[in-house]
């Protein structure tokens, strides 16, 4: 047996050991119970959190301390500390992937919101916040009945760099600005910085002198993952467990790191998960410079967990160290606090005995872990008597949450094509429908990865039947792989009889998921043949509905006049069937936009392991994402149609910005290069007063059609002249606004030149180019001159 397979089997065994489900109890176990265990200093809520954390550490033996270094922590009876499971999942609703969650109890299901890539297509910050806040209410309710933990490992904010990535569906897409905005909203909503109570009013978590006394209390803990440059599962001979992501300083600065920096600095995330892969030759969980940058430069205050068994892979799979003890020592000293898995649990004592790890290294990790648990109120006594103690089964799968899931699905649906305004369908004029496709009558696969048990799922077929009773269904293909044409005859028979035909095609988790990347961007199996066959036989042009998170090359359908309309629904969650029907029949005007580029099949010739974002013509490399890609597109980033059309009018934006009053004194005297030539850029750290440069772009959006609806305004910028590696354009702001038919709506987008108009140079330094910057709103352009 090869070393590769031995390592793989080892990891599978470790995963099986880790994934032991929790047993639900009517109430969660908690420390500091009276009368026997509530007199310890760590139970004293009047003391600072740091004091309480140090107190708890001081009372533990070395063996008990080591027991804390696994996600599945065993109890310490003598101190009254119950067992605790750190690993729970909440990517787009409470998921059953982690052992911290069980649906076997008084709460049998939870609201299933659209997958993250679909939510991202809404380009709506308030929606993202509201969804996260709703998930948090359900999570805390499940904790109160012993069916969940308090620490959840979401969101996934890696950049959707390559269209083949199986987990791109879990992310907010390819743009670092959008991923950053999503990270901030999700973490703030989930951690409860502003908890919305039953009346819908914002309620700030208490800061009454108890606990830390500085407003650090948490409703729940969110975790930004996977840090960093993680965006490949398995491609060719490359695996996420051993892949070395070679990333240059420029790409690291302006693509891979911004979402994590924002998640920490603005979102105030309390957890960071380091990834399996190496970054420039060093395992991410052992990269001290990387992990300490989060703490020292970004102000991270929380705990750092490894991805599951990522500590084990350092020795067992990557062969980076000579022993398990060396791997444990590396990650602890680098700043990793806890291991999802059992590797640190089993090898830390030996590492200490061999002098590779000191007890102080363990204490440092425990301080970070206990500090987060204390902020969560875990040591404040009975949680059912706390400010979230009344949450329970009545707060899960509520009508409000299900309505929010429906609204999120509506907003995320993207209309890709609509020839001759075929959509919306006439509610009163359609006598019969035929719907074809294996996912059209299946609710179990519309959630995507990291899905739990949905409350009230509705299939696409059921949604359409609420509008047209005479709706026929045929699978066409047995499943999404569609390896046979056996079902074509039945599909043809109903297609020839129906007035309108809808084909549901695309992807599911058999094609893209964790540990599985795609090798092709084409529709799987005979799906294209099914679509073309039905298009030939149907009376009128058909409607194509696409599922899945990853981009597809459907150039044939875009060009085929027999296919009138194309809708992308991704993984729309439990309300997807209803949302799609409402869009198709005009009760909701689609306004979603693609958060990722849809590439042609030829892109698959580009090595997936090439992490470079910028194009390089010398080696025929076209670059990646809309910011740098120079090749052909099926659909571009931000593409999305509506049943109406919109025009813009620029109301207000400056023509010129002067930096002289905003620069550091020494910089003003150094704006000439050697030889007397003027600089054409400034380093951002030379601009002392960035706040004084901020401005708003005010825009009027005119709805020129018969239907009201929401519209996403997207503001881009382009630097004034050529700079090495400058983006083709970059998104600097977006707003989703509601527009009434034949009326205009005004909106404003804030612009911070130091942040939005700057770029990274080849050394990874942020610079602000001088000269004319071009602001772009669709075809509308406006120049802003930045000068010294």
């Amino acid at each position: 047996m090869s070393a590769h397979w031995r390592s793989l089997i080892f990891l599978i065994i470790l995963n099986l050991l880790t994934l032991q489900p929790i047993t639900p109890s009517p109430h969660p176990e908690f420390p500091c119970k009276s009368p026997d265990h509530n007199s310890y200093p760590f139970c004293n809520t009047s003391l600072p959190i740091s004091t309480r954390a140090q107190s708890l550490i001081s009372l533990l033996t070395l063996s008990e301390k080591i027991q804390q270094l696994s996600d599945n922590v065993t109890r310490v009876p003598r101190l009254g500390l119950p067992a605790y499971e750190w690993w729970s999942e909440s990517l787009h609703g409470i998921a059953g992937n982690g052992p911290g969650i069980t649906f076997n109890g008084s709460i049998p299901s939870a609201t299933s919101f659209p997958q993250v890539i679909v939510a991202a297509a809404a380009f709506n910050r308030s929606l993202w916040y509201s969804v996260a806040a709703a998930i948090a209410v359900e999570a805390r309710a499940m904790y109160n009945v012993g069916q969940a933990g308090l620490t959840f490992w979401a969101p996934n904010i890696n950049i959707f760099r390559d269209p083949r990535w199986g987990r791109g569906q879990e992310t907010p897409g390819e743009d670092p600005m959008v991923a950053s905005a999503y990270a901030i909203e999700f973490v703030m909503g989930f951690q409860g910085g502003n908890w919305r109570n039953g009346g819908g009013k914002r309620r700030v978590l208490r800061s009454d002198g108890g606990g830390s006394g500085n407003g650090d209390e948490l409703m729940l803990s969110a975790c930004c993952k996977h840090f960093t440059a993680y965006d490949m599962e398995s491609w060719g001979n490359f695996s996420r467990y051993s892949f070395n992501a070679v990333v240059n300083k420029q790409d690291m600065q302006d693509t891979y790191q911004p979402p994590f920096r924002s998640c920490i600095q603005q979102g105030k995330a309390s957890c960071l998960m380091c990834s399996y892969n190496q970054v420039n030759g060093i395992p991410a969980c052992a990269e001290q410079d990387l992990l300490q940058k989060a703490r020292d430069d970004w102000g991270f205050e929380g705990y750092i967990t490894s991805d599951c068994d990522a500590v084990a892979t350092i020795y067992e799979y990557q062969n980076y160290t000579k022993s398990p003890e060396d791997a444990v020592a590396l990650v602890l000293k680098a700043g990793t606090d806890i291991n999802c898995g059992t590797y640190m649990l089993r090898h830390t004592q030996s590492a200490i005995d061999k002098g590779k790890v000191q007890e102080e290294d363990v204490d440092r990790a425990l301080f970070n872990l206990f500090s987060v648990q204390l902020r969560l109120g875990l040591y404040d006594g009975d949680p059912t008597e706390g400010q979230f103690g009344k949450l329970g089964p009545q707060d899960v799968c509520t009508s409000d949450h299900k309505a929010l899931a429906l609204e999120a699905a509506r907003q995320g649906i993207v209309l890709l094509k609509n020839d001759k305004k075929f959509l919306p369908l006439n509610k009163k004029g359609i006598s019969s429908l035929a719907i074809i496709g294996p996912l059209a009558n299946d609710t179990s696969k519309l959630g995507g990865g990291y899905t739990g048990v949905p409350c009230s799922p509705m299939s696409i077929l059921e949604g359409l039947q609420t509008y047209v009773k005479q709706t026929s269904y045929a699978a066409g293909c047995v499943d999404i792989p569609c390896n046979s044409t056996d079902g074509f005859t039945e599909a043809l028979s109903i297609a020839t009889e129906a007035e309108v035909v809808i084909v549901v095609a695309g992807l599911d988790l058999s094609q893209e998921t964790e540990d599985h990347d795609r090798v092709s961007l084409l529709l799987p199996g005979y799906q294209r043949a099914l679509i073309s066959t039905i298009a030939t036989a149907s009376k009128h042009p058909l409607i194509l509905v696409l599922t899945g998170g990853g981009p597809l090359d459907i150039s044939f359908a875009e060009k085929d006049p027999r296919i009138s309309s194309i809708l992308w629904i991704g993984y729309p969650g439990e309300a997807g069937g209803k949302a799609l029907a409402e869009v198709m029949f005009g009760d909701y005007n689609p306004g979603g936009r693609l958060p990722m580029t849809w590439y042609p099949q030829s892109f698959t010739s580009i090595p997936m392991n090439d992490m470079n974002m910028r194009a390089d013509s010398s080696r025929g490399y076209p670059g990646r994402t809309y910011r740098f890609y120079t090749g052909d597109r099926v659909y571009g980033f931000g593409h999305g149609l509506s049943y109406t059309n919109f025009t813009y009018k620029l109301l207000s934006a400056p023509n010129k910005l002067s930096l002289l009053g905003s620069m550091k004194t020494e910089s003003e005297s150094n704006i000439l290069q050697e030889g007397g030539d003027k600089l054409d850029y400034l380093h951002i750290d030379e601009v002392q007063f960035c706040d004084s440069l901020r401005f708003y772009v005010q825009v009027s959006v005119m709805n020129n059609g018969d239907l009201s609806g929401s519209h996403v305004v997207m503001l881009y910028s382009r630097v004034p002249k050529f700079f090495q590696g400058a983006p083709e354009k970059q998104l600097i702001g977006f707003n989703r606004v509601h527009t009434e038919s034949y009326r205009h709506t005004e909106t404003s987008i804030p612009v911070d030149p130091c942040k939005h108009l700057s770029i990274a140079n080849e050394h990874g330094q942020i610079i602000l180019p001088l000269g004319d910057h071009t602001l772009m709103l669709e075809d509308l352009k406006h120049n802003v001159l930045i000068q010294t």
Side-chain angles (χ1 to χ4, degrees), residues 342-360:
T342 61
Y343 213 67
M344 286 167 67
L345 192 68
R346 293 183 288 116
H347 296 293
T348 300
Q349 182 64 63
S350 176
I352 291 174
D353 293 342
K354 295 178 179 180
K356 299 176 184 292
V357 171
Q358 285 70 49
E359 188 170 356
E360 290 78 12

Side-chain angles (χ1 to χ4, degrees), residues 246-267:
V246 179
V247 183
N248 63 53
K249 293 179 179 179
Q250 192 172 30
D251 290 339
M252 186 68 80
Q253 178 66 258
D254 73 356
T255 298
Y256 294 105
Q257 295 295 62
F260 291 97
R261 183 168 60 242
S262 296
C263 200
I264 291 167
Q265 290 184 331
Q266 285 82 47

Side-chain angles (χ1 to χ4, degrees), residues 120-121 123 128 172-184 259 595 626 637 714 731 734:
F123 284 90
W128 300 337
E174 70 181 36
D175 182 74
M177 186 264 188
V178 175
S180 297
Y182 181 87
I184 294 167
Y626 81 94
F637 173 89
M714 306 179 78
L731 184 68
F734 60 89

Side-chain angles (χ1 to χ4, degrees), residues 731-776:
L731 184 68
I732 62 173
F734 60 89
N735 281 338
R736 187 168 183 131
V737 297
H738 181 77
T739 63
E740 295 292 335
S741 173
Y742 295 110
R743 293 188 178 182
H744 72 273
T745 300
E746 294 183 5
T747 187
S748 62
I749 297 177
V751 178
D752 180 346
C754 291
K755 179 179 180 182
H756 297 132
L757 304 184
S758 60
I759 59 173
N761 65 17
E762 60 269 30
H763 305 294
Q765 300 165 329
I766 300 297
I767 61 173
L768 180 61
L770 303 177
D772 282 322
H773 289 250
T774 303
L775 304 182
M776 295 170 284

Side-chain angles (χ1 to χ4, degrees), residues 36-37 281 574 718:
D36 298 327
H37 298 292
E574 68 175 61
R718 181 177 292 142

